[in-house]
Amino acid sequence: MDRPSPLTRPAARRWLAVTAAVALVGGSFAAGAVWRGGGDEVRSGRLVAAPLRPLPQAPGVGLVSADSCDQLLDWYVDHALDRVTAWGWDGGPVYLARDGFTPMAGAAEDTASAGRGPDEVTSSDTGTNVQEQGVDEPDVAKTDGDLMVRVGGDTLTTYDVTGTEPRLLSTYELPGVADQRDLYGYGAGTELLLVGDTAVVLGSEGPWYDGRGPRTTVVSVDLSSPGAPTMTDRQTYGAELVSARRYGDAVRLVFSSGLPDLPFVHPSDKRSDREARAHNRAAVRASTLADWLPSVHDEGGARTRLADCDQVRLPEDFSGPGTMAVVGYDATTPRDRSVTAVATSSTTVYSSTDRLYLATSAGWGIRCCVMVDAVVPGWPGRDGTTQLHAFALSGDAATYLGSGEVDGSVRDRWAMDATDGVLRVAVGPTSETGNFNSVLTLAERDGRLVQVGRVDRLGVNEEIKSVRWFDDLAFVVTFRQTDPLYAIDLSDPAHPRRLGALKIPGYSEYLHPIGDDRLLGIGTDAGLDGSVRGGQAAVFDVSDLAAPRRVSVHTYGSQQATRAGQDPRQFTWLPDRRTALTVVESWGPDGGSHGTVSLLHVGPGGQLTERSVHGAYGYADVAALRTLPLPDGRVVVTSPDTTRLLTP
């Protein structure tokens, strides 16, 4: 008998679960869009009834808008009450991982078919190694070829890089911007996008910063006179920045706000568990939309809701409390915003040049600062499925297209890709799949993302380490004890198929196409028993997709690790010189570390040799070390303390 469709089975499971839940908790929770009207509960000065009625659903549409602000507030409250305990929210507020927190390296290119290997990919026009060509990403340093701009904490510096040595032009203190990156290089940090003569600086303050919840400050700086930068705009969003991208002159930001910080109490010698829980439930019922919806505070203006009620869409199936807001604007007019929002707790955002996708979590979540398994009751994705929401992009606007659902977990944005209206997703195992990985294809049909094809049993009992996508082709690396490299034919979205596989020790955390039917893999060396032995780089010949092979490898010491898998922005490919620059972190006997830039040359036959090692950057500089290529072939090597020019 055929296996039931992954798009229909979860709906049936949820119907049974909802029926049971309603019977157990008297209708306080339902997996769908619900509202209350008239009755015996007092909420924010209104009488609210217990009976639940579903929102009107448009045929074939996965997200709907609430009829009113009262109805939207009721939706938030009704779905949150089940999570209230005597200690507040069940274990604490949910804050989402910032985009790139646990990256899985890969990228999308429109340059290959299943009949031949991939062409090489270069950095963006601002020097950043990005996931999608034509979609620039924020970083700590950017260049236009003549000017290099770097941001760290509340300071923006500009350099002239046209001479034999970088020349410092200005050091500009950014008002109202905080830096969350610690001495170890972790934390949200401050980053920027470079849009013509404008630097868009993104300062993130996580929920742990001062107890007020996450905030993001966005500052526009005029660099038309780079020796005298000028702030032209500053806005503070009451939410966490999950993704930021530049499309030409358009900037698109995606924010997340989780469960609100409400006046909860705890049990004590004067307050029983029952009394504390009753008080906390009353606090949820008394909450307002200002607690639930993200806000924005323009410089010199009042705090306002970022999205109006009719701009917030509700999912048919409840996928976790919170709100995702997609904000777009032209870099020259940052206050003329286009906003759309979804009442969900998505953790993953992927964007191509004309599509944006939100994916909910089916396997992992972030509770404060600790990674936990999302099968904990009440956590998003606990049923082992991932919800996907698609938006069409045009200028600064994002228009909702449709939604779908797949069994399995989407680890991060690198596991997603879109081309010609087809979404391709690499998923890992959950309670609803076998213990293997899969590649799925979904098409846009009548307001839905409908699964049209899949290939399973990629890396049985292994986890996905990296993915690289092309027009009609994908490469997937999994790992447990060996490093399978799978080639997947996607030329027919309805019938994806595995073409070939290569199994070798170790694994590649980042794959980069370097032309001549070759991939450069940056990752970790390992023994046949799966024990890791330090960083490595390898060249793969994929001219025969049915039999990919590794043609050369360079290994680093056991106390050295390549960082491109953690952050692909720490990798640069120079096609004219057939040279890769990758950041390597080395640990000493005292436990401290430093960073170097390893220059790897790829010979005509794919031979990989380390040409040289550049610099020795301090412990706090490793995560912020960047290599930015210039049009004349030189490279800017920049850290928080040092900026140099290198001729590979």
Side-chain angles (χ1 to χ4, degrees):
M1 184 175 66
D2 292 339
R3 185 172 182 263
S5 166
L7 288 173
T8 57
R9 286 189 307 103
R13 286 196 307 272
R14 276 191 302 276
W15 174 252
L16 294 175
V18 169
T19 302
V22 171
L24 288 172
V25 301
S28 64
F29 173 90
V34 295
W35 66 285
R36 298 176 185 267
D40 57 359
E41 291 184 0
V42 177
R43 183 181 301 158
S44 303
R46 310 188 315 278
L47 287 177
V48 182
L52 305 182
R53 288 191 290 159
L55 282 169
Q57 302 288 331
V61 176
L63 297 176
V64 296
S65 298
D67 291 338
S68 66
C69 288
D70 282 349
Q71 190 180 35
L72 177 60
L73 176 59
D74 292 341
W75 192 91
Y76 280 114
V77 172
D78 290 331
H79 286 91
L81 282 173
D82 191 54
R83 303 189 55 145
V84 179
T85 72
W87 299 87
W89 301 121
D90 51 355
V94 177
Y95 298 113
L96 304 181
R98 191 166 178 266
D99 194 15
F101 185 86
T102 54
M104 178 176 60
E109 270 297 292
D110 294 338
T111 56
S113 69
R116 62 181 177 87
D119 293 335
E120 61 190 354
V121 174
T122 58
S123 299
S124 73
D125 59 354
T126 62
T128 301
N129 185 34
V130 297
Q131 178 180 10
E132 185 81 46
Q133 296 292 290
V135 183
D136 202 12
E137 303 178 14
D139 204 351
V140 295
K142 294 283 186 179
T143 181
D144 63 4
D146 298 327
L147 179 72
M148 197 275 287
V149 186
R150 183 174 183 99
V151 67
D154 62 354
T155 303
L156 183 143
T157 53
T158 62
Y159 294 83
D160 181 344
V161 291
T162 60
T164 56
E165 294 293 337
R167 181 168 63 91
L168 178 65
L169 298 176
S170 65
T171 300
Y172 179 65
E173 185 173 335
L174 298 161
V177 175
D179 186 11
Q180 282 290 285
R181 197 177 300 277
D182 58 24
L183 292 177
Y184 303 96
Y186 299 107
T190 306
E191 296 179 341
L192 66 93
L193 292 164
L194 187 60
V195 191
D197 291 333
T198 300
V200 179
V201 180
L202 310 164
S204 297
E205 302 171 25
W208 52 88
Y209 188 67
D210 59 6
R212 292 191 296 171
R215 299 189 304 279
T216 302
T217 300
V218 181
V219 176
S220 297
V221 181
D222 182 3
L223 298 176
S224 57
S225 298
T230 304
M231 185 184 76
T232 58
D233 187 73
R234 183 178 65 192
Q235 301 175 71
T236 299
Y237 295 86
E240 184 172 5
L241 180 65
V242 179
S243 174
R245 296 291 183 267
R246 175 181 71 88
Y247 316 72
D249 293 334
V251 173
R252 185 164 286 105
L253 310 175
V254 181
F255 295 100
S256 169
S257 58
L259 290 166
D261 185 15
L262 299 177
F264 290 142
V265 299
H266 298 161
S268 65
D269 55 356
K270 297 182 179 179
R271 183 185 297 116
S272 68
D273 286 10
R274 181 176 180 179
E275 291 171 333
R277 184 171 184 269
H279 179 281
N280 294 340
R281 286 175 63 86
V284 173
R285 295 188 184 100
S287 63
T288 68
L289 281 178
D291 297 311
W292 292 97
L293 293 179
S295 62
V296 61
H297 187 149
D298 291 332
E299 183 68 16
R303 177 177 181 266
T304 60
R305 286 205 304 263
L306 179 59
D308 294 330
C309 297
D310 59 0
Q311 294 174 311
V312 183
R313 291 181 173 269
L314 309 176
E316 290 178 356
D317 299 323
F318 179 65
S319 55
T323 304
M324 303 290 292
V326 182
V327 178
Y329 60 86
D330 187 285
T332 61
T333 55
R335 301 195 186 190
D336 186 11
R337 294 181 290 260
S338 168
V339 181
T340 186
V342 182
T344 187
S345 57
S346 294
T347 57
T348 303
V349 180
Y350 161 74
S351 180
S352 67
T353 55
D354 62 355
R355 291 290 187 273
L356 183 142
Y357 297 89
L358 304 179
T360 62
S361 173
W364 295 94
I366 297 288
R367 177 179 298 175
C368 180
C369 310
V370 181
M371 190 74 73
V372 298
D373 193 332
V375 299
V376 174
W379 278 78
R382 63 191 182 279
D383 60 356
T385 62
T386 296
Q387 291 187 15
L388 302 163
H389 307 298
F391 298 82
L393 306 180
S394 178
D396 59 13
T399 304
Y400 174 66
L401 290 175
S403 301
E405 188 176 68
V406 297
D407 288 347
S409 62
V410 180
R411 177 174 173 178
D412 58 21
R413 63 184 172 96
W414 296 92
M416 305 172 69
D417 173 69
T419 183
D420 296 331
V422 175
L423 174 65
R424 295 95 67 85
V425 186
V427 299
T430 65
S431 59
E432 297 305 313
T433 69
N435 195 15
F436 52 77
N437 307 286
S438 307
V439 171
L440 316 177
T441 57
L442 299 99
E444 300 168 5
R445 293 180 181 172
D446 301 323
R448 290 284 188 183
L449 292 177
V450 179
Q451 182 179 306
V452 295
R454 64 183 296 143
V455 56
D456 293 316
R457 303 192 66 78
L458 302 176
V460 177
N461 296 322
E462 297 182 338
E463 65 173 317
I464 295 175
K465 287 296 184 179
S466 58
V467 182
R468 196 83 188 194
W469 303 94
F470 303 92
D471 258 5
D472 299 323
L473 186 66
F475 293 97
V476 180
V477 172
T478 63
F479 177 75
R480 186 179 181 188
Q481 292 184 341
T482 59
D483 174 15
L485 172 70
Y486 296 99
I488 310 299
D489 178 5
L490 296 169
S491 58
D492 182 358
H495 301 94
R497 59 194 179 98
R498 191 175 83 177
L499 297 173
L502 168 67
K503 291 195 175 186
I504 52 177
Y507 56 90
S508 298
E509 295 176 284
Y510 177 70
L511 293 172
H512 195 90
I514 59 175
D516 298 330
D517 293 332
R518 292 190 175 96
L519 292 173
L520 178 59
I522 306 294
T524 300
D525 183 24
L528 293 176
D529 60 353
S531 58
V532 296
R533 300 191 292 203
Q536 75 170 17
V539 174
F540 300 95
D541 185 336
V542 294
S543 56
D544 182 357
L545 295 173
R549 61 190 183 95
R550 186 174 71 179
V551 296
S552 63
V553 64
H554 174 78
T555 58
Y556 298 92
S558 60
Q559 299 301 311
Q560 293 180 294
T562 54
R563 290 188 53 90
Q566 300 177 54
D567 191 343
R569 298 173 303 178
Q570 293 190 285
F571 176 92
T572 297
W573 172 246
L574 305 176
D576 294 340
R577 299 180 181 270
R578 307 298 297 164
T579 297
L581 291 82
T582 186
V583 176
V584 176
E585 185 170 10
S586 303
W587 287 271
D590 60 351
S593 75
H594 67 275
T596 58
V597 177
S598 175
L599 281 73
L600 299 167
H601 178 71
V602 181
Q607 304 90 347
L608 186 63
T609 56
E610 186 175 49
R611 174 176 290 176
S612 64
V613 176
H614 179 78
Y617 299 87
Y619 188 60
D621 296 346
V622 177
L625 184 58
R626 295 293 186 270
T627 54
L628 306 178
L630 299 176
D632 61 8
R634 297 180 301 163
V635 176
V636 180
V637 182
T638 178
S639 74
D641 296 327
T642 306
T643 295
R644 306 170 184 171
L645 285 172
L646 170 68
T647 301

